[in-house]
């Protein structure tokens, strides 16, 4: 005889088969460590946080011709170009074996781009080296502080700082005559001496680069607290998907993040408290509790937008919807540089 | 409550809940890890909802209902072996094991419905809201699941005859 008590008893026995939590604790701890390292690199490089790598299968082929430890996807995102062309100016001519370019970032203020950054990383994204050309006052809170060591970089005095709160990072700043400030940052699993050696060697290899990168997206309308602020454009990848982030921080602490790309991570993860929304000719979902919008554009590109922090009032979602309504996505970026040196 | 504090306090309970809903501890571990990874970046907002348990349960359910997981679950059902009629003494353990075998091989939605009804003691209306379906759908899914349990009982004459 099967009754409700027998079924409850069976479910209780099933619950007793639950796995121990230790493996997930360990996995989350490793992930958090990598995330902290990466976030530090990206924040200092002026680039936004790109979605973490996922195992989601999507368009793209792996470049097997590279050594096994430097596999990066070949991405066909778009034609590139845009309303603003930004000179890359410099690049390192030496990097450790296995590193490939994984991120590019630009700080945009009005019609100028005072900062451009590039990040190179290992194939598993756990270690990174970045070069930032130029500086902007909006980055001041992220400027590394600590005891300075003076280092010669091709005849120019440089300042080296090592920061080791969560994960050790090494930062080397110098400014060649008549050129913008250059900053090399190193986040690897090495110790302080090895990181310093790496930073100095990469810095001394830096040479002019005639290449350019482009800014495709542009805001049509922003609320007052965000309209006057500089904003950051970041290009990167997650797994085999390309990602383009735009983020702007307002004077009141509010931050707007718009992410575009082919990553399934950007699709609506669940339907709890979500509501359908229509913007221009696109159907999507809004999650007022999370101040989020999710759209799938006709060409399959996923868009997510979120207003983080700041006052939470009933105007948040109409504001976010209007920002997206008037946002110009521009041509999708050329991502053929992913995995290059 | 920070994300780390929540995980430290609630992870064992989440794993028990996910094991019941998934019918498989390995799938449960996989799903809970995926859900926590997705929840972490937006934890501040989830906390503001005053019901992080309910939010994560919804994420677990959605993950179990995703196409990728449904394919894996179907493959597991095909591989599953129905239990041979027990020839041991009739006791609660034998019956419970037989029920468990059926529960593990139910289609995902049927298992979710009876797990939420019998393990979580949720009403049909709450289950319908959680699964984004009507109460009628919940009742029909529960009916089909219970029919399979009754069918299992009918194929175990040894239990009854003894």
């Amino acid at each position: 005889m099967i009754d409700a008590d027998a079924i409850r008893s069976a479910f209780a026995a099933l619950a007793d088969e639950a796995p121990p939590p230790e493996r997930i604790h360990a996995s989350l701890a490793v992930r958090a460590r990598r995330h902290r390292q990466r976030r530090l690199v990206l924040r200092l490089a002026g680039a936004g946080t790109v979605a973490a790598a996922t195992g989601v299968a999507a368009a793209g082929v792996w470049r097997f011709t590279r050594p096994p430890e430097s596999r990066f996807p070949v991405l066909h995102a778009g034609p590139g170009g845009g309303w603003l062309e930004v000179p890359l100016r410099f690049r390192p001519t030496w990097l450790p074996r296995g590193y490939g370019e994984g991120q590019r970032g630009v700080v945009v203020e009005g019609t100028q781009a005072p900062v451009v950054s590039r990040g190179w990383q290992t194939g598993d994204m756990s270690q990174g080296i970045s070069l930032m050309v130029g500086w902007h006052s909006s980055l001041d809170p992220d400027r590394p502080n600590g005891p300075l060591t003076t280092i010669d970089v091709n005849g120019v005095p440089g300042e080296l700082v090592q920061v080791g709160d969560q994960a050790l990072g090494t930062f080397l700043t110098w400014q060649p005559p008549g050129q913008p400030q250059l900053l090399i940052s190193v986040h690897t699993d090495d110790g302080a001496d090895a990181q310093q050696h790496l930073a100095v060697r990469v810095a001394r290899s830096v040479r002019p680069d005639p290449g350019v990168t482009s800014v495709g997206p542009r805001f049509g309308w922003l609320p007052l607290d965000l309209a006057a602020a500089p904003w950051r454009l970041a290009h990167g990848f997650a797994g085999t998907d390309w990602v383009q982030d735009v983020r702007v921080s307002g004077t009141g602490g509010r931050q707007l993040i718009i992410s575009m790309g082919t990553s399934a991570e950007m699709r609506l993860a669940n339907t709890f408290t979500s509501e359908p929304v229509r913007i221009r000719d696109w159907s999507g979902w809004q999650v007022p509790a999370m101040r989020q919008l999710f759209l799938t554009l006709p060409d399959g590109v996923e868009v997510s937008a979120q207003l983080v922090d700041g006052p939470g009032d009933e105007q948040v979602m109409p504001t976010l919807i209007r920002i997206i309504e008037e946002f110009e996505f521009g041509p999708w970026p050329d991502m053929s540089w992913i995995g290059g040196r | 409550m920070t994300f780390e504090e929540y995980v430290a306090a609630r992870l064992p309970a989440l794993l028990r809940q996910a094991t019941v809903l998934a019918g498989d501890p390995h799938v449960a571990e996989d799903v809970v890890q995926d859900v926590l990874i997705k929840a972490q970046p937006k934890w501040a907002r989830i906390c503001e909802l005053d019901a992080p348990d309910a939010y994560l349960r919804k994420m677990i359910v959605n993950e179990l209902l995703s196409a990728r997981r449904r394919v894996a679950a179907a493959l597991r059902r095909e591989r599953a072996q129905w239990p041979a009629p027990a020839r041991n003494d009739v006791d609660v353990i034998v019956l419970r094991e037989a029920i468990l075998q059926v529960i593990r091989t139910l289609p995902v939605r049927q298992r979710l419905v009876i797990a939420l009804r019998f393990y979580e003691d949720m009403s049909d209306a709450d289950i319908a809201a959680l699964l984004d379906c009507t109460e009628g759908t919940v009742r029909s899914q529960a009916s089909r699941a219970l029919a399979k349990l009754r069918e299992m009982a009918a194929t175990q004459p040894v239990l009854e005859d003894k």
Side-chain angles (χ1 to χ4, degrees):
Chain A
M1 177 70 182
I2 293 179
D3 57 16
D5 285 342
I7 297 173
R8 287 195 182 93
S9 170
F11 275 122
L14 185 55
D16 289 340
E17 293 180 12
E22 283 76 17
R23 278 195 296 271
I24 292 182
H25 276 306
S27 172
L28 291 175
V30 168
R31 189 182 159 80
R33 176 174 154 272
R34 288 183 177 171
H35 179 69
R36 280 195 300 269
Q37 285 184 325
R38 197 147 171 269
R39 187 177 55 189
L40 199 55
V41 171
L42 289 168
R43 281 176 66 201
L44 278 155
T49 304
V50 179
T54 66
V56 178
V61 269
W62 291 95
R63 190 176 286 167
F64 285 112
T65 53
R66 294 179 179 278
E69 71 276 21
S70 63
R71 287 180 300 173
F72 289 86
V74 176
L75 299 175
H76 304 287
W83 63 274
L84 180 60
E85 199 168 74
V86 183
L88 294 172
R89 288 174 174 261
F90 293 96
R91 71 180 178 90
T93 55
W94 180 87
L95 286 164
R97 186 171 180 272
Y99 279 68
E101 192 169 4
Q103 300 125 28
R104 285 185 178 178
V106 175
V107 175
V108 180
E109 185 172 42
T111 57
Q112 305 292 317
V115 182
V116 60
S117 68
R118 303 167 75 178
W120 293 264
Q121 62 201 35
T122 52
D124 63 1
M125 305 170 80
S126 63
Q127 307 189 65
I129 297 172
S130 69
L131 167 65
M132 184 161 62
V133 180
W135 188 261
H136 188 272
S137 58
S138 65
L139 300 172
D140 284 345
D142 294 329
R143 188 185 288 277
N145 289 310
L148 294 175
T149 303
T150 302
I151 302 280
D152 176 82
V153 183
N154 300 331
V156 176
E159 292 180 341
L160 185 136
V161 176
Q162 293 196 304
V163 179
D165 53 346
Q166 303 265 5
L168 180 67
T170 298
F171 306 90
L172 177 53
T173 310
W174 77 105
Q175 186 163 11
Q179 299 294 337
Q181 174 190 288
L182 304 178
L183 168 65
I184 288 286
S185 63
V186 174
H187 287 84
T188 63
D189 290 336
D190 301 314
D193 289 346
Q195 275 200 8
Q196 176 170 333
H197 176 77
L198 195 53
V200 172
R201 185 168 179 188
V202 173
R204 287 176 178 165
S205 80
V206 169
R207 299 288 181 272
D209 184 342
V212 295
T213 187
S214 297
V215 177
R218 179 158 47 181
F219 292 104
W221 174 86
L222 281 173
L224 280 178
D225 62 318
L226 299 174
W231 52 278
R232 302 180 188 188
L233 169 70
H235 293 138
F237 72 100
T240 54
D241 298 295
W242 62 270
V243 181
Q244 173 174 267
D245 279 356
V246 167
R247 55 182 64 207
V248 54
S249 297
T251 48
R254 182 158 70 162
Q255 189 178 35
L256 169 68
I257 305 168
I258 303 173
S259 295
M260 298 142 267
T262 48
S263 171
E265 283 285 295
M266 267 187 268
R267 289 181 204 134
L268 183 58
N270 61 75
T271 54
F272 192 69
T273 70
S274 66
E275 301 164 11
V277 66
R278 191 156 185 86
I279 299 178
R280 299 194 207 174
D281 291 330
W282 314 317
S283 297
W285 296 90
Q286 58 174 321
V287 188
M290 307 286 284
R291 305 173 191 180
Q292 288 175 319
L293 273 180
F294 297 86
L295 293 170
T296 302
L297 302 184
D299 59 2
V301 172
E302 304 285 344
V303 177
S304 72
Q306 185 173 17
L307 272 169
V308 184
D309 298 328
D313 56 51
E314 58 190 20
Q315 290 305 308
V316 167
M317 292 314 295
T319 297
L320 192 53
I321 289 170
R322 184 174 172 193
I323 289 171
I324 296 299
E325 273 177 343
E326 302 195 23
F327 187 73
E328 293 178 29
F329 290 99
W332 297 131
D334 171 15
M335 304 289 282
S336 58
W337 47 268
I338 289 283
R341 304 274 287 185
Chain B
M1 181 184 274
T2 66
F3 177 77
E4 289 74 18
E5 288 168 345
Y6 178 85
V7 170
R10 298 292 299 155
L11 181 54
L14 279 178
L15 284 166
R16 286 177 65 83
Q17 187 178 52
T19 301
V20 166
L21 296 174
D24 182 318
H26 305 293
V27 173
E29 186 173 32
D30 194 23
V31 165
V32 168
Q33 178 163 315
D34 284 356
V35 162
L36 289 174
I37 285 170
K38 287 177 183 170
Q40 187 170 18
K42 47 195 176 190
W43 185 249
R45 293 277 168 271
I46 292 174
C47 267
E48 283 179 9
L49 298 175
D50 291 330
D53 282 349
Y55 194 90
L56 291 185
R57 179 171 60 197
K58 175 67 175 171
M59 291 181 77
I60 289 170
V61 166
N62 282 348
E63 193 65 30
L64 287 169
L65 289 173
S66 73
R68 178 167 55 94
R69 305 253 183 225
R70 279 204 303 273
V71 169
L75 290 172
R76 273 200 311 283
R77 277 201 301 280
E78 286 174 11
R79 290 197 299 267
Q81 300 292 318
W82 287 85
R87 299 196 175 276
N88 301 328
D89 292 340
V90 177
D91 57 25
V92 173
I93 295 174
V94 171
L95 179 60
R96 192 172 65 200
E97 287 302 312
I99 294 173
L100 271 178
Q101 288 290 339
V102 177
I103 287 172
R104 289 184 210 277
T105 55
L106 287 173
V108 177
R109 282 187 183 275
Q110 290 181 25
R111 186 175 56 250
L112 287 173
V113 165
I114 63 165
L116 294 168
R117 182 188 276 186
F118 290 102
Y119 185 72
E120 305 269 350
D121 287 327
M122 287 174 67
S123 68
D124 286 354
D126 289 342
I127 295 171
L130 182 64
L131 298 181
D132 290 327
C133 64
T134 64
E135 286 184 55
T137 302
V138 169
R139 283 193 285 274
S140 69
Q141 296 279 1
S143 175
R144 285 177 199 160
L146 293 171
K148 284 176 185 161
L149 287 168
R150 283 195 294 272
E151 183 183 330
M152 178 274 297
T155 60
Q156 296 212 322
V158 176
L159 292 178
E160 313 252 346
D161 294 348
K162 191 90 176 178

